[in-house]
Structure formats: structure tokens, C-alpha cells
Amino acid sequence: MPVLSPSRAGLGWGLLGVAAFSFTVPFTRVAVESGGISPLFIGSARAVVAALLAAAALAVTKQRLPVGVQWARLAVVAGGVVVGFPVLTSFALTTAPASHGAVVIAVLPAATAVTAVLRGHERPPKSFWLMAAVGAVAAIVFAALQGGGLSGLNWADLLLFGAVAAAAIGYAEGGLLARELGAWQTVSWALVLAVPLMIVLTVVSLVRHAPSGTPVEWAAFAYLAVVSMFLGFFAWYRGLAIGPMARVSQVQLVQPVLSICWAALFLHERLTWPTVLGGVAVIACATIAVRARLGQAAGGPGRG
């Protein structure tokens, strides 16, 4: 695909995708807050809806089937971004405030960069590893202090860190696989591959707890299914395809800032100084780490 006005078009599409994703954490909190819709249903059924849309898009555009080991790699992508991240965040946000979740998840860009480095056998500069480590520590300390001390990490925090790890693996593998299958096609095939499991989980959730959400909660669920799990990827990967990819990918660093703002605006969550300072620390470390890797990639192999 030719580069079309990269300084504006690529960044514009990338920002549109990030803006779409930034509502994921607060809207997940809205959907699970009252308990009328179970977190298992939200995490699984949204993937089923997205998979139906993905299957239709793949069929209409007559995409070629993945072959051989590509299916195994798609399973890794599906496990991370279709199953792991949505389900884990849905359970975590039943108790954790959206702003808290956004700060913890802010380490995701750096975590994705670390996973991509390990997967691609890169040798980035020491500053990359230093800031990635500092960012992870900052996120852990923030979560611990919010819980009442270094022993205050609770199950919600562990689920959020698990979601970050799952998404980082899925994003990194998906980024590599997208070079072979195409960007949105990779996400779509991952959704289709995971749909049998997600249907089973949806049925289990329905047997355990029939959903009885309010119109607002169902609207939040619809957004998560249609936009967060499907349409948002079209804009995001369109931006990456137009490029330049290294520059557009950095737009993801504004996502936690937007999520925290939406939590304050729509959920009326109070922005405390620990939340603001924790978010600034984690985002700053992630920004430096990502840019260190991008700078190394642009300038050739780094010295570890």
C-alpha cells in the first residue's frame, strides 16, 4: 500500500483507532459495575459478536486462508487479544476503578515493545531495558500503594497485569503475522479461530447468570463488541499501513491519558494525585522505552 500523506493521514487514522480503544476500560467498567451482566459474558460474548462481523468481512473480500504454522501463530494472537485481555480486564474491572485500570494498563506499549524485541531477537540499547523495567516497577508500586501498601496487590491488579502480558504477546505476534496476512485480516482470522471457545464461554456464562443489564450497560457492551473488538482495529491498522509505522505506533501512548479522562467524565471518578502521578510516571517510562527501540531500529542494531 502506498504511503499517502504520512504526516497527517497515517497519524489521523492511528489517532482514530486509539481514540476508539481508549473507551474500552471505562465502558467495560460501566458494563460490569452493577453486576447485571457477568464479566464472563462481557469478555466472551463481545468476541462472538466481533467474530461474526470478522467472518462476514473476510467472506465478502474473499481473503485467502492462512496456511500451516500461521494457524498456530493466529492461536497466539487469539489467546492474547481475543481471549486473554477482554476476559481478564472484564473480571478485574468489577472491583477496580477505570482510572486505576488505565494506569496499570499504561505499561502495555512498553510491554509490547519488550515482547517484540524478544520475539524478533533484537538488541536494543540499555536505555530501553532500563525504562521498560522502571515503567513496570512504577505500575506495580502504583497498584500496590493504591491497595494499601506493598502487600496490597489484590486479585484485580494481578488480573490487569495478566491482561497486559496477554495483550503484549498478542500484539507482538500479530504485528509480525500482519506482514504475511495483512493487518485487519490477522485480527479477523484470530477472532474466527477463537469463536468456538468464546461461544462455549458465552453459553456457560448464560447458564450461570442470565444477563439483566440496563440500556446503558448494553450500549457499553455493544461498543466493546463492535468497536473495541473489531472496527477500532480497522482504523488502527489503516494508520499503521499508511505509515510511517514507527511514528504512528507512538500514538498508542496517549491511550491511557484518554481513558483516565473518560473515567473522570463519564464515571465521575475523582482524579487523585496518586492516580495522576502514577499515570505520568508509567506513560513517561513507556514513551522513553518505545522511542529508544524505535531509534535503535532506525539507526541499525544496538549494543546491549
Side-chain angles (χ1 to χ4, degrees), residues 270-283:
R270 188 166 59 91
L271 289 181
T272 63
W273 279 111
T275 298
V276 172
L277 294 176
V280 168
V282 175
I283 294 167

Side-chain angles (χ1 to χ4, degrees), residues 24-43 46 86-98 155 209 213-214 216-218 220-221 224 267:
T24 300
V25 169
F27 281 5
T28 301
R29 176 66 177 168
V30 169
V32 303
E33 192 168 17
S34 72
I37 309 177
S38 73
L40 181 59
F41 178 86
I42 292 169
R46 70 194 245 192
V87 173
L88 292 175
T89 53
S90 295
F91 277 99
L93 291 169
T94 58
T95 56
W155 69 274
H209 177 78
T214 65
V216 171
E217 291 168 347
W218 280 114
F221 169 80
L224 295 172
L267 301 177

Side-chain angles (χ1 to χ4, degrees), residues 57-220:
L58 291 168
V60 168
T61 57
K62 299 180 180 180
Q63 298 295 316
R64 64 180 178 85
L65 285 171
V67 296
V69 74
Q70 289 177 338
W71 286 109
R73 296 171 65 191
L74 280 169
V76 173
V77 177
V81 301
V82 180
V83 182
F85 187 84
V87 173
L88 292 175
T89 53
S90 295
F91 277 99
L93 291 169
T94 58
T95 56
S99 56
H100 178 97
V103 171
V104 174
I105 294 173
V107 77
L108 178 56
T112 302
V114 169
T115 308
V117 163
L118 297 175
R119 178 69 175 80
H121 306 290
E122 299 176 18
R123 297 184 61 192
K126 292 180 180 178
S127 59
F128 167 81
W129 295 109
L130 175 62
M131 297 315 300
V134 172
V137 170
I140 293 171
V141 170
F142 166 80
L145 293 179
Q146 289 277 290
L150 293 178
S151 61
L153 285 175
N154 54 43
W155 69 274
D157 292 315
L158 297 179
L159 290 176
L160 287 170
F161 284 117
V164 167
I169 294 171
Y171 281 161
E173 189 62 41
L176 294 173
L177 193 54
R179 299 172 183 173
E180 304 170 22
L181 298 177
W184 71 266
Q185 293 92 332
T186 297
V187 177
S188 295
W189 283 119
L191 284 164
V192 171
L193 182 63
V195 75
L197 172 61
M198 304 315 280
I199 289 175
V200 170
L201 293 178
T202 300
V203 172
V204 170
S205 71
L206 290 172
V207 171
R208 290 182 175 180
H209 177 78
S212 57
T214 65
V216 171
E217 291 168 347
W218 280 114

